[in-house]
Amino acid sequence: MSIFQKSIKVILVIWLAVQLATFFGLNYPSSAGIIGLLSLLDTRRSTLLTAKRRILSMTSAILAAIICFSLFGLNIWAFVLSMSIYIPMAYKYEWDIGLSVSTVGVFHLLDAGSLTVPVILNEIGLFVIGVGFALLANIYMPSYQKDIIAAKDRVELLFKSILLRFHHILSTGESSDEIYRIRQLEREIQAGLELVYRDQSNQLFQRTDYEVHYFEMRLEQSHYLQQMVEDINHCHFSAEESLILAQLFKDIAQQLEDKSTPIHLIHRIDHYLQVFRERPLPKSREEFESRSMLLQIFRDLERLIQLKVHFYERYPHDQLTDE
């Protein structure tokens, strides 16, 4: 939601709450606008949760005030006593988000100088009007699905470009540090996750966690990419090993957006791992380190692919759609 839309929503909530409170002849009508402003949050779910906590907070504050004012009179000492009962309770049960509004409501009772039904209903009316308009205002919340799909596309494009860069480096022997691309990929994934969480907070009913788990899967895969960058940069492979790895990276990149599970790639990796293990033992420290890093890269590739396999086994029919 744009700043302009947010501003219009806030102004309308305040104005309408004050106007309705005035129409019903309530005292302190501006309080209804303030309550509406404080209850208007960025998402439907947070607004509903806040409204619930404010209701419990206001109810406990008014009840404590009625009891104390009835026993000790309408004076500042009775007010302090009621606050001494209410405030610890509010913090204990996490109702403190309504602390300021509830305190003002009790002040209104003290200022009115009586505990008649109309006075109490006046405070309830201010509260209901303010919270009610905040809830109504958040009936409309923009969907982030198009933004999430765009974030997914950026992640997959960047992911594919990194894999193809690995293919190029291993095929040509070119030296290149791709760590900055990994960092960019991680930022895009985190941005996608933030969009998903924000979108879910606007849903009153639980949705599938497909989108959350998708970006989490890509984030975990990016950690393996980072490790492979370091291994490729610090090791010299034979021409045969480099070409095998290069072709694997290319094949993984080409099937990245494919929703099928790439079991055939796992079988190929297992085959190469078996072949490399059966080779004669390294004769030098450098050969030993190269062999170890080569095997590590193959294992990381296998784990990277397994993450995708497990994900699409869990969500065989779910996918992001243009909503």
Side-chain angles (χ1 to χ4, degrees):
M1 183 176 295
S2 67
I3 294 176
F4 176 76
Q5 289 175 314
K6 288 182 179 179
S7 301
I8 293 298
K9 182 180 286 190
V10 169
I11 292 168
L12 282 175
V13 166
I14 295 173
W15 184 77
L16 290 171
V18 172
Q19 291 300 311
L20 188 60
T22 302
F23 174 79
F24 284 117
L26 301 180
N27 295 323
Y28 316 108
S30 60
S31 295
I34 294 172
I35 293 170
L37 170 63
L38 294 174
S39 301
L40 187 61
L41 301 179
D42 290 336
T43 66
R44 291 193 188 112
R45 193 170 296 175
S46 59
T47 300
L48 280 173
L49 180 60
T50 299
K52 174 185 175 182
R53 289 177 176 174
R54 287 191 192 282
I55 290 171
L56 294 171
S57 181
M58 175 64 83
T59 302
S60 60
I62 294 296
L63 287 176
I66 290 174
I67 292 171
C68 291
F69 288 155
S70 299
L71 292 176
F72 305 105
L74 287 156
N75 56 68
I76 191 62
W77 300 112
F79 169 80
V80 171
L81 180 60
S82 69
M83 288 295 101
S84 299
I85 297 171
Y86 157 67
I87 291 176
M89 187 186 305
Y91 280 114
K92 179 179 180 180
Y93 295 107
E94 298 181 345
W95 303 338
D96 51 295
I97 194 169
L99 195 61
S100 57
V101 172
S102 301
T103 302
V104 170
V106 176
F107 262 124
H108 288 168
L109 295 180
L110 180 62
D111 187 56
S114 67
L115 289 177
T116 59
V117 172
V119 170
I120 296 173
L121 289 178
N122 184 86
E123 296 308 311
I124 295 174
L126 293 174
F127 184 81
V128 169
I129 290 172
V131 172
F133 273 113
L135 293 173
L136 286 173
N138 271 358
I139 287 177
Y140 166 75
M141 293 297 290
S143 171
Y144 292 97
Q145 280 299 295
K146 289 185 178 180
D147 295 326
I148 293 170
I149 293 169
K152 174 181 177 286
D153 291 341
R154 288 193 299 272
V155 166
E156 293 194 350
L157 183 63
L158 192 52
F159 206 107
K160 187 173 183 178
S161 71
I162 292 170
L163 292 171
L164 291 176
R165 281 293 299 167
F166 286 171
H167 167 262
H168 177 76
I169 292 167
L170 289 165
S171 298
T172 63
E174 176 184 314
S175 178
S176 177
D177 187 358
E178 299 299 309
I179 196 67
Y180 75 96
R181 295 179 190 267
I182 307 294
R183 296 283 182 263
Q184 183 183 355
L185 175 62
E186 290 175 347
R187 288 194 295 270
E188 291 289 354
I189 294 171
Q190 292 292 354
L193 272 172
E194 289 177 10
L195 283 171
V196 171
Y197 290 138
R198 196 179 307 166
D199 190 66
Q200 286 193 341
S201 293
N202 283 328
Q203 309 305 320
L204 299 183
F205 303 100
Q206 186 63 39
R207 297 182 49 158
T208 174
D209 287 328
Y210 169 88
E211 294 152 338
V212 173
H213 292 156
Y214 169 82
F215 285 107
E216 288 178 345
M217 180 264 291
R218 291 301 187 205
L219 185 61
E220 194 169 351
Q221 285 182 321
S222 72
H223 297 158
Y224 288 115
L225 289 180
Q226 181 175 340
Q227 183 59 50
M228 284 186 275
V229 167
E230 297 173 0
D231 290 340
I232 290 173
N233 286 337
H234 294 90
C235 192
H236 299 287
F237 304 119
S238 69
E240 179 191 5
E241 293 166 349
S242 294
L243 290 176
I244 289 173
L245 271 177
Q247 189 59 47
L248 271 174
F249 281 121
K250 183 178 180 180
D251 291 344
I252 293 171
Q254 289 175 341
Q255 62 79 52
L256 184 68
E257 299 177 9
D258 187 3
K259 300 301 184 291
S260 63
T261 55
I263 301 296
H264 64 285
L265 290 175
I266 294 177
H267 292 331
R268 279 175 59 190
I269 291 172
D270 288 339
H271 170 71
Y272 290 133
L273 281 171
Q274 185 63 31
V275 169
F276 291 136
R277 287 192 187 104
E278 292 176 356
R279 285 183 173 182
L281 293 174
K283 297 179 181 179
S284 66
R285 179 183 180 86
E286 184 178 350
E287 288 181 10
F288 175 78
E289 290 177 350
S290 295
R291 180 77 61 84
S292 296
M293 285 191 179
L294 179 66
L295 294 176
Q296 183 61 49
I297 290 174
F298 273 101
R299 282 192 288 266
D300 286 341
L301 271 174
E302 187 172 34
R303 294 187 187 105
L304 183 146
I305 297 171
Q306 283 286 3
L307 285 170
K308 178 182 176 181
V309 171
H310 294 156
F311 176 77
Y312 283 109
E313 284 177 350
R314 182 174 184 179
Y315 298 101
H317 304 296
D318 289 304
Q319 60 180 7
L320 291 169
T321 55
D322 296 314
E323 294 182 355

